[in-house]
Amino acid sequence: MTEQGSALPPEPLVRLFSAANVWLYRVSNGRLGATMKGAPVLLLTVAGRRSGKKRTLPVVYIATERGHALIASKGGAPRHPAWYLNLEAAKRAEIQIGAHRSRVRVKIVDPASPLYAELWQKGLALYPDYAAYKARTARVIPIVELLPEA
């Protein structure tokens, strides 16, 4: 149970769902698994900060003028998601949206910035569950920009 009394899904279940989603997304070139509760989903591939092994998972994203943004909510868990920590360390990643794959560089958005507030509001509009996730945790939920590599 979390501080707010809501149980988070068990990690093995989350991993199983993510693996199935990645498989469906890839075999269908994004025709299947491209949304979660109506919000757009991309595939994020990033090297592990300790293992160096590349891992791919589906993540809800926000389209921006400069690229894409991800909200590292982990359902309001007390710790940041591993993919966020890996992005923070790697500074680079690969994404797939539909059939299109590209390399991106990572920029952590300052929580005190107007950009953070703007992206948070856009994220809420796409995926209202973020409000419950924020209420469930004491940590500041990071937002990451994924910008095209030059």
Side-chain angles (χ1 to χ4, degrees):
M1 301 294 266
T2 65
E3 295 169 4
Q4 300 295 318
S6 300
L8 295 171
E11 284 291 324
L13 184 61
V14 171
R15 282 193 297 274
L16 180 64
F17 174 78
S18 291
N21 190 256
V22 168
W23 183 81
L24 281 171
Y25 198 108
R26 284 202 169 139
V27 299
S28 71
N29 279 326
R31 289 185 299 280
L32 300 173
T35 61
M36 184 180 304
K37 294 187 177 183
V41 169
L42 58 74
L43 294 185
L44 173 69
T45 302
V46 63
R49 65 194 179 285
R50 294 187 200 129
S51 69
K53 184 176 180 180
K54 288 189 176 184
R55 300 195 189 278
T56 302
L57 65 150
V59 184
V60 170
Y61 74 93
I62 303 158
T64 69
E65 293 175 9
R66 299 174 353 143
H68 305 87
L70 309 178
I71 296 178
S73 65
K74 196 177 181 181
R79 294 190 178 138
H80 296 318
W83 62 259
Y84 167 76
L85 299 172
N86 293 337
L87 282 175
E88 191 176 42
K91 309 285 191 239
R92 301 258 183 282
E94 298 170 15
I95 60 171
Q96 179 177 344
I97 299 175
H100 180 74
R101 294 180 188 207
S102 59
R103 293 178 191 264
V104 293
R105 58 189 171 87
V106 174
K107 181 177 181 282
I108 308 299
V109 179
D110 179 355
S113 72
L115 178 59
Y116 183 98
E118 176 187 334
L119 292 172
W120 181 259
Q121 290 306 312
K122 286 182 178 181
L124 283 175
L126 287 173
Y127 194 75
D129 289 358
Y130 286 136
Y133 300 165
K134 184 176 182 179
R136 196 181 282 165
T137 188
R139 69 182 171 90
V140 174
I141 296 176
I143 297 179
V144 179
E145 270 193 297
L146 303 177
L147 306 170
E149 275 198 340

